[in-house]
Coordinates of all heavy atoms in Angstrom, one line a residue:
E7 N 18.5 12.3 -4.6 CA 19.1 10.9 -4.7 C 18.7 10.1 -3.5 O 19.0 8.9 -3.5 CB 20.7 11.1 -4.7 CG 21.3 11.5 -3.3 CD 21.0 13.0 -3.0 OE1 20.5 13.8 -3.8 OE2 21.3 13.4 -1.8
M8 N 18.0 10.6 -2.5 CA 17.6 9.9 -1.3 C 16.4 9.1 -1.6 O 15.5 9.6 -2.2 CB 17.4 10.8 -0.2 CG 17.2 10.2 1.2 SD 16.9 11.4 2.5 CE 18.6 12.1 2.6
P9 N 16.3 7.8 -1.2 CA 15.1 7.0 -1.5 C 13.9 7.6 -0.8 O 14.0 8.3 0.2 CB 15.5 5.6 -0.9 CG 16.6 5.9 0.0 CD 17.3 7.0 -0.5
V10 N 12.7 7.2 -1.3 CA 11.4 7.8 -0.9 C 10.5 6.8 -0.3 O 10.4 5.6 -0.8 CB 10.8 8.4 -2.2 CG1 9.4 8.9 -1.9 CG2 11.6 9.6 -2.7
L11 N 9.8 7.2 0.7 CA 8.7 6.5 1.3 C 7.5 7.5 1.1 O 7.6 8.7 1.3 CB 8.8 6.2 2.8 CG 10.0 5.3 3.2 CD1 10.2 5.3 4.7 CD2 9.7 3.9 2.7
V12 N 6.3 6.9 0.8 CA 5.1 7.8 0.7 C 4.2 7.4 1.9 O 3.8 6.3 2.1 CB 4.4 7.5 -0.6 CG1 3.1 8.3 -0.7 CG2 5.3 7.9 -1.8
A13 N 3.8 8.5 2.6 CA 3.0 8.3 3.8 C 1.5 8.3 3.3 O 1.1 9.0 2.4 CB 3.2 9.4 4.8
T14 N 0.7 7.5 4.0 CA -0.7 7.5 3.8 C -1.2 8.8 4.5 O -0.5 9.5 5.1 CB -1.4 6.4 4.4 OG1 -1.2 6.4 5.9 CG2 -0.9 5.0 3.9
D15 N -2.5 9.2 4.3 CA -3.0 10.4 4.9 C -2.9 10.3 6.4 O -2.5 11.3 7.1 CB -4.5 10.6 4.6 CG -4.7 10.9 3.1 OD1 -3.7 11.3 2.4 OD2 -5.8 10.8 2.6
R16 N -3.1 9.1 7.0 CA -3.0 9.0 8.4 C -1.5 9.0 8.8 O -1.1 9.7 9.8 CB -3.6 7.6 8.8 CG -3.3 7.2 10.3 CD -4.1 8.1 11.3 NE -3.9 7.6 12.6 CZ -4.3 8.2 13.7 NH1 -5.1 9.4 13.6 NH2 -4.1 7.7 14.9
G17 N -0.7 8.4 8.0 CA 0.8 8.5 8.3 C 1.3 9.9 8.2 O 2.2 10.2 9.0
A18 N 0.8 10.7 7.2 CA 1.3 12.1 7.1 C 1.0 12.9 8.4 O 1.8 13.7 8.9 CB 0.7 12.7 5.9
E19 N -0.2 12.6 8.9 CA -0.6 13.3 10.2 C 0.3 12.9 11.3 O 0.8 13.7 12.1 CB -2.1 13.0 10.5 CG -3.0 13.5 9.5 CD -3.2 15.0 9.6 OE1 -2.6 15.6 10.5 OE2 -3.9 15.6 8.7
R20 N 0.6 11.6 11.4 CA 1.4 11.1 12.5 C 2.8 11.6 12.5 O 3.4 12.0 13.5 CB 1.3 9.6 12.6 CG 0.0 9.0 13.1 CD 0.0 7.5 13.1 NE 1.2 7.0 13.8 CZ 1.3 7.0 15.2 NH1 0.4 7.5 15.9 NH2 2.4 6.4 15.7
I21 N 3.5 11.5 11.3 CA 4.9 11.8 11.2 C 5.1 13.3 11.4 O 6.2 13.8 11.8 CB 5.5 11.3 9.9 CG1 7.0 11.1 10.1 CG2 5.2 12.2 8.7 CD1 7.7 10.3 9.0
A22 N 4.1 14.1 11.0 CA 4.2 15.6 11.2 C 4.3 15.9 12.7 O 4.8 17.0 13.0 CB 3.0 16.3 10.6
H23 N 3.9 15.1 13.6 CA 4.0 15.3 15.0 C 5.1 14.4 15.6 O 5.2 14.3 16.8 CB 2.7 15.0 15.7 CG 1.6 16.0 15.3 ND1 0.9 15.9 14.1 CD2 1.2 17.2 15.8 CE1 0.1 16.9 14.0 NE2 0.3 17.7 15.0
G24 N 6.0 13.9 14.8 CA 7.2 13.2 15.3 C 6.9 11.8 15.7 O 7.8 11.1 16.3
N25 N 5.8 11.2 15.3 CA 5.5 9.9 15.6 C 6.0 8.9 14.6 O 6.0 9.2 13.4 CB 3.9 9.7 15.7 CG 3.3 10.5 16.8 OD1 3.8 10.5 17.9 ND2 2.3 11.3 16.4
P26 N 6.5 7.7 15.0 CA 6.9 6.7 14.0 C 5.8 6.1 13.3 O 4.6 6.2 13.7 CB 7.6 5.7 14.9 CG 6.9 5.8 16.3 CD 6.6 7.3 16.4
L27 N 6.1 5.6 12.1 CA 5.1 5.0 11.2 C 5.4 3.5 11.1 O 6.5 3.1 11.1 CB 5.1 5.6 9.8 CG 5.0 7.1 9.6 CD1 5.0 7.5 8.2 CD2 3.8 7.6 10.4
R28 N 4.3 2.8 11.1 CA 4.4 1.3 10.8 C 3.4 1.0 9.7 O 2.4 1.7 9.5 CB 4.0 0.6 12.1 CG 5.0 0.7 13.2 CD 4.6 0.0 14.5 NE 5.7 0.1 15.5 CZ 5.9 1.1 16.3 NH1 5.1 2.2 16.2 NH2 6.8 1.0 17.2
A29 N 3.7 -0.1 9.0 CA 2.7 -0.5 8.0 C 1.3 -0.7 8.6 O 1.3 -1.2 9.7 CB 3.2 -1.9 7.4
P30 N 0.3 -0.3 7.9 CA 0.2 0.2 6.6 C 0.2 1.8 6.5 O -0.5 2.3 5.6 CB -1.1 -0.4 6.1 CG -2.0 -0.3 7.3 CD -1.1 -0.5 8.5
E31 N 0.9 2.5 7.3 CA 0.9 3.9 7.3 C 1.9 4.6 6.3 O 2.0 5.8 6.2 CB 1.2 4.5 8.7 CG 0.1 4.1 9.7 CD 0.5 4.4 11.2 OE1 1.7 4.4 11.5 OE2 -0.4 4.7 12.0
F32 N 2.6 3.7 5.6 CA 3.5 4.2 4.6 C 3.6 3.2 3.5 O 3.3 2.0 3.7 CB 4.9 4.5 5.1 CG 5.7 3.3 5.6 CD1 6.5 2.6 4.8 CD2 5.6 2.9 7.0 CE1 7.2 1.4 5.2 CE2 6.2 1.8 7.4 CZ 7.1 1.1 6.5
I33 N 4.1 3.7 2.3 CA 4.2 2.8 1.1 C 5.7 2.8 0.7 O 6.2 3.9 0.5 CB 3.3 3.2 0.0 CG1 1.8 3.3 0.4 CG2 3.5 2.4 -1.3 CD1 0.9 4.0 -0.5
L34 N 6.3 1.7 0.5 CA 7.6 1.6 0.0 C 7.6 1.7 -1.5 O 7.0 0.7 -2.1 CB 8.3 0.3 0.5 CG 9.8 0.2 0.3 CD1 10.6 1.3 1.0 CD2 10.3 -1.2 0.8
T35 N 8.1 2.7 -2.1 CA 7.9 2.8 -3.6 C 8.7 1.7 -4.3 O 9.7 1.3 -3.9 CB 8.4 4.2 -4.1 OG1 9.8 4.3 -3.6 CG2 7.6 5.3 -3.5
R36 N 8.1 1.3 -5.4 CA 8.6 0.1 -6.1 C 10.1 0.2 -6.5 O 10.8 -0.7 -6.4 CB 7.7 -0.1 -7.4 CG 8.1 -1.4 -8.2 CD 7.2 -1.6 -9.3 NE 5.8 -1.7 -8.9 CZ 4.8 -1.7 -9.7 NH1 5.0 -1.6 -11.0 NH2 3.5 -1.9 -9.3
E37 N 10.5 1.4 -7.0 CA 11.8 1.5 -7.5 C 12.9 1.5 -6.4 O 14.1 1.3 -6.7 CB 12.0 2.9 -8.3 CG 11.7 4.1 -7.4 CD 10.3 4.6 -7.5 OE1 9.4 3.7 -7.7 OE2 10.0 5.8 -7.4
H38 N 12.4 1.6 -5.1 CA 13.4 1.5 -4.0 C 13.4 0.3 -3.2 O 14.1 0.2 -2.2 CB 13.2 2.8 -3.1 CG 13.5 4.1 -3.8 ND1 14.7 4.3 -4.5 CD2 12.8 5.2 -4.0 CE1 14.7 5.5 -5.0 NE2 13.5 6.1 -4.7
R39 N 12.5 -0.6 -3.5 CA 12.3 -1.8 -2.6 C 13.5 -2.6 -2.4 O 13.8 -3.1 -1.4 CB 11.1 -2.6 -3.1 CG 9.8 -2.0 -2.8 CD 8.6 -2.8 -3.3 NE 7.4 -2.2 -3.0 CZ 6.2 -2.5 -3.5 NH1 6.1 -3.6 -4.3 NH2 5.1 -1.9 -3.2
S40 N 14.3 -2.8 -3.5 CA 15.5 -3.6 -3.4 C 16.8 -2.8 -3.4 O 17.7 -3.1 -2.6 CB 15.5 -4.6 -4.5 OG 15.6 -4.0 -5.8
T41 N 16.9 -1.8 -4.2 CA 18.1 -1.1 -4.4 C 18.6 -0.3 -3.2 O 19.7 -0.1 -3.0 CB 18.0 -0.1 -5.6 OG1 16.9 0.8 -5.4 CG2 17.8 -0.9 -6.9
D42 N 17.6 0.2 -2.4 CA 18.0 1.1 -1.3 C 17.6 0.4 0.1 O 17.4 1.1 1.1 CB 17.3 2.4 -1.4 CG 17.8 3.2 -2.6 OD1 18.9 3.5 -2.7 OD2 16.9 3.5 -3.5
A43 N 17.6 -0.9 0.1 CA 17.2 -1.5 1.3 C 18.1 -1.2 2.5 O 17.8 -1.2 3.7 CB 17.1 -3.1 1.1
G44 N 19.4 -0.9 2.2 CA 20.4 -0.6 3.2 C 20.5 0.8 3.6 O 21.3 1.2 4.5
S45 N 19.7 1.7 3.0 CA 19.8 3.1 3.3 C 19.2 3.4 4.6 O 18.2 2.9 5.1 CB 19.0 3.9 2.2 OG 19.1 5.3 2.5
T46 N 19.9 4.4 5.4 CA 19.4 4.7 6.7 C 18.6 6.0 6.7 O 17.9 6.3 7.6 CB 20.6 4.9 7.7 OG1 21.5 5.9 7.2 CG2 21.4 3.6 7.9
S47 N 18.7 6.8 5.6 CA 17.9 8.1 5.5 C 17.0 8.0 4.3 O 17.4 7.7 3.2 CB 18.9 9.3 5.4 OG 19.6 9.5 6.6
W48 N 15.7 8.3 4.6 CA 14.7 8.3 3.5 C 13.9 9.6 3.6 O 13.7 10.1 4.6 CB 13.7 7.1 3.8 CG 14.3 5.8 3.6 CD1 15.3 5.2 4.5 CD2 14.1 4.8 2.6 NE1 15.6 3.9 4.0 CE2 14.8 3.7 2.9 CE3 13.2 4.8 1.6 CZ2 14.8 2.5 2.1 CZ3 13.1 3.6 0.8 CH2 13.9 2.5 1.1
R49 N 13.5 10.1 2.4 CA 12.6 11.2 2.3 C 11.2 10.6 2.5 O 10.8 9.6 1.8 CB 12.7 11.9 1.0 CG 13.9 12.7 0.8 CD 13.9 13.5 -0.5 NE 13.9 12.6 -1.6 CZ 13.4 12.8 -2.8 NH1 12.8 14.0 -3.0 NH2 13.4 12.0 -3.8
V50 N 10.4 11.2 3.3 CA 9.0 10.8 3.5 C 8.1 11.9 2.8 O 8.2 13.1 3.2 CB 8.6 10.7 5.0 CG1 7.2 10.3 5.1 CG2 9.5 9.7 5.7

């Protein structure tokens, strides 16, 4: 039920080491762009 972010290959490497991601290192999936804008926890 938790909204999803998809990491790019570079983003996957960075977040695996605890580093924050910034665009364009992740993709906000279309189905969650508006409905889960207020969510604080996301699956990457």
